[in-house]
Amino acid sequence: MSEERILFLTGKLAEKQLRQILAAMQPDFYYKVKEMGVKVAALMTTEMIGRRLKDTEDATRVVIPGRCRGDIQALSQQLGVPVERGPEEVKDLPQYFGKNAHQYDLSQYQTKIFAEIVDAPNISVDEVIQRAYYYKAQGADVIDIGCLPGTLFPHLQDCISSLKQEGFTVSIDSLEDSDLLAGGKAGADYMLSLTNSSLWIVDEVETTPIIIPQVHGDLSCLDTVIATLQRKNRAFIVDPILDPIHFGFTESIVRNYQFRQRYPEVEMMLGVGNITELTHADTSGMNALLLGICSELNINHILATEVSKHACRAIKEADRARRIMYAAKQHDSLPKHIAPDLMTVHDNAPFPYRRDEIEAIAAEIRDPSYRIQTSSQGLHVFNRDGFHTAQDPFDLYPKLGVETDGGHAFYLGVELARAQIAWQLGKRFTQDQQLNWGCAAQGAETEADLHTFKPAGTTLKKHHDE
């Protein structure tokens, strides 16, 4: 058995269950459980613990409830022993300790994201710069200035030079030789897309070219281009082209694979926008799969877009996907249990408690404040006066007795609506917290800052007042 000794701090309601879970875990460390004189564990704070915990009982580590707020570093210094937050749900303790040895570094990635501003000819330079800062904030490495066939672009050079002055890495994206040449002379770092017939532009500018086949789908026509660029000792990237579903998608995947087998060291690009934009399905899963392909084939550049309304988080999702895939590859592991960012619609463990376990918790409640939890069977609302289950929140309203309490009714309505959505989709519901939509939501609170305090939810206020 390990020499580690862990002291678990908890509240009165969770103490029994915590002891049962630890006993069932049969951990390889010594442990003790200490109830801190508070009914609800979520109401504990680091300051409260600092006042009440007089003896850490020779623990080498102290684990406090996951929702306990305050500065754990300051508490660690005060107690003279490392303090850490456990999982938010006590039922997640086995998984928590199983994952504890695997802290993945998501600061690293291999694949660069080219984010295309597809309508650049139709917007001002200031709007282009504004869009560039947005894409950069979402994770883009290169701002791609898209030209439109048959559309005048008099401010093309101004766009590129202004972006360069702002410190951006820039690419010019066109099939017109004149646009590519102008973009290169304006200082673009990359130009796409060149073919054998437009390769002469490489001799006019220092811009790195992205090459596509002269004849769509014909990889053999790239051989001469690659040999020429290698002889010139020029950096370049090859895009064998990713086609939309039902218009050559599977064949194009095979084509990218074949190119990589033929040229193991040549830099490649994958135009993921042809899938995320042209498929009406959630883009988070598509980005996970496409970046997984990039990881396997060592494709270090993707071209991404956010044109269609359903693809409004595509670049942010691609950023998270590339980091997850890189971490998985570095650890020679499956891309599972690394980060939840791409689990936007479902959770891998949506219902931590069965109905009978929730009923056992409810049996210990001695106050009138309502708690809400979900199981695979539906929504459960309970207090000291009763336990109610339904799959439709409207079925619960007549049983809650809040007809004359507008504030409480509003609060319960919001929480039950969240619970119903979570139950329907298979997501984790935690009372008084927003649902976690991963990287799919804009401005959502996906992870609480537990170093600071925010106003307690209505239920917690009622617990505290009583």
Side-chain angles (χ1 to χ4, degrees):
M1 179 172 289
S2 167
E3 292 299 318
E4 187 174 26
R5 299 178 300 280
I6 301 179
L7 177 63
F8 292 88
L9 306 184
T10 189
K12 183 178 180 181
L13 289 179
E15 180 183 6
K16 180 179 178 181
Q17 188 177 36
L18 174 59
R19 292 184 183 277
Q20 291 174 340
I21 289 171
L22 285 168
M25 280 172 55
Q26 297 183 332
D28 62 352
F29 52 80
Y30 296 97
Y31 68 87
K32 287 187 177 181
V33 174
K34 186 174 182 62
E35 192 267 301
M36 294 300 294
V38 60
K39 182 180 293 185
V40 181
L43 292 179
M44 291 168 57
T45 68
T46 55
E47 290 184 355
M48 178 191 297
I49 293 170
R51 293 194 304 269
R52 297 186 180 184
L53 186 61
K54 304 303 181 183
D55 182 5
T56 60
E57 304 188 42
D58 296 322
T60 57
R61 182 165 35 142
V62 175
V63 176
I64 64 178
R67 298 193 190 102
C68 180
R69 294 188 176 274
D71 190 340
I72 59 174
Q73 185 175 0
L75 181 61
S76 297
Q77 294 176 347
Q78 178 182 345
L79 298 179
V81 61
V83 178
E84 65 184 54
R85 289 185 179 87
E88 290 195 351
E89 298 289 351
V90 69
K91 271 296 283 290
D92 291 334
L93 264 179
Q95 183 185 19
Y96 173 82
F97 277 96
K99 289 168 56 180
N100 208 32
H102 303 286
Q103 298 296 327
Y104 294 96
D105 179 10
L106 295 181
S107 67
Q108 305 297 314
Y109 59 86
Q110 186 167 331
T111 303
K112 290 183 179 180
I113 298 174
F114 286 57
E116 183 181 0
I117 302 177
V118 297
D119 56 349
N122 295 328
I123 61 178
S124 68
V125 175
D126 287 343
E127 288 175 300
V128 167
I129 292 174
Q130 183 179 7
R131 191 86 58 85
Y133 274 109
Y134 163 75
Y135 283 150
K136 182 178 180 180
Q138 301 305 298
D141 302 282
V142 182
I143 303 304
D144 184 60
I145 300 300
C147 300
L148 298 171
T151 302
L152 294 176
F153 196 171
H155 53 301
L156 184 156
Q157 291 175 304
D158 284 343
C159 283
I160 293 175
S161 59
S162 296
L163 286 170
K164 292 299 296 179
Q165 289 174 6
E166 294 288 324
F168 289 98
T169 303
V170 184
S171 62
I172 177 67
D173 190 341
S174 177
L175 293 176
E176 298 290 336
D177 293 357
S178 58
D179 291 336
L180 295 169
L181 185 61
K185 288 184 176 180
D189 301 277
Y190 300 90
M191 51 185 174
L192 61 153
S193 301
L194 274 68
T195 64
N196 187 43
S197 63
S198 57
L199 195 61
W200 61 272
I201 300 174
V202 172
D203 296 325
E204 303 295 324
V205 295
E206 297 180 358
T207 307
T208 299
I210 288 105
I211 309 299
I212 62 173
Q214 180 86 37
V215 178
H216 182 72
D218 183 5
L219 295 181
S220 63
C221 65
L222 292 170
D223 294 339
T224 301
V225 178
I226 291 172
T228 300
L229 291 169
Q230 288 177 333
R231 187 171 61 252
K232 293 176 181 290
N233 198 29
R234 287 292 298 268
F236 63 95
I237 301 167
V238 173
D239 180 2
I241 305 299
L242 181 67
D243 291 317
I245 294 171
H246 292 152
F247 291 87
F249 170 66
T250 302
E251 185 178 352
S252 68
I253 292 289
V254 173
R255 186 165 62 241
N256 276 270
Y257 172 79
Q258 290 173 337
F259 182 87
R260 174 51 78 215
Q261 296 302 301
R262 190 170 183 175
Y263 291 101
E265 304 300 327
V266 168
E267 291 291 336
M268 292 178 63
M269 171 175 278
L270 194 70
V272 299
N274 275 350
I275 303 303
T276 56
E277 294 285 346
L278 303 177
T279 308
H280 272 172
D282 290 333
T283 52
S284 56
M286 287 188 274
N287 271 309
L289 186 60
L290 291 166
L291 269 297
I293 292 172
C294 289
S295 183
E296 284 199 351
L297 298 184
N298 290 320
I299 298 175
N300 294 330
H301 311 82
I302 63 169
L303 180 62
T305 52
E306 290 189 1
V307 180
S308 300
K309 299 300 183 184
H310 79 281
C312 61
R313 302 285 181 271
I315 291 168
K316 184 177 182 180
E317 293 162 0
D319 174 52
R320 302 313 295 171
R322 64 177 173 173
R323 296 171 188 271
I324 291 169
M325 295 302 164
Y326 183 80
K329 190 173 186 178
Q330 293 300 109
H331 288 82
D332 194 25
S333 70
L334 295 169
K336 294 181 65 177
H337 301 305
I338 292 176
D341 307 62
L342 299 175
M343 298 286 290
T344 58
V345 181
H346 312 296
D347 282 331
N348 58 3
F351 308 119
Y353 300 97
R354 302 188 309 270
R355 172 173 174 159
D356 62 308
E357 292 174 318
I358 296 173
E359 289 176 332
I361 295 171
E364 302 295 323
I365 300 298
R366 298 293 181 267
D367 61 72
S369 296
Y370 282 112
R371 281 78 165 177
I372 304 171
Q373 288 189 256
T374 60
S375 73
S376 60
Q377 293 177 270
L379 288 55
H380 310 290
V381 183
F382 53 92
N383 63 3
R384 69 184 180 190
D385 301 316
F387 184 95
H388 312 289
T389 298
Q391 296 178 357
D392 184 342
F394 284 103
D395 294 336
L396 294 168
Y397 179 72
K399 304 173 184 178
L400 301 179
V402 291
E403 294 86 352
T404 60
D405 187 348
H408 201 186
F410 180 82
Y411 164 77
L412 289 173
V414 170
E415 290 299 313
L416 286 169
R418 287 174 176 166
Q420 183 188 32
I421 292 169
W423 176 76
Q424 289 174 326
L425 292 178
K427 293 186 69 65
R428 178 70 67 92
F429 168 78
T430 302
Q431 190 171 352
D432 291 324
Q433 291 189 18
Q434 294 186 37
L435 297 181
N436 190 331
W437 301 102
C439 64
Q442 181 178 23
E445 176 190 1
T446 57
E447 185 173 344
D449 180 4
L450 296 175
H451 289 82
T452 60
F453 293 85
K454 65 179 183 179
T458 305
T459 298
L460 295 186
K461 286 181 180 178
K462 287 181 175 292
H463 283 312
H464 184 71
D465 292 342
E466 293 163 3

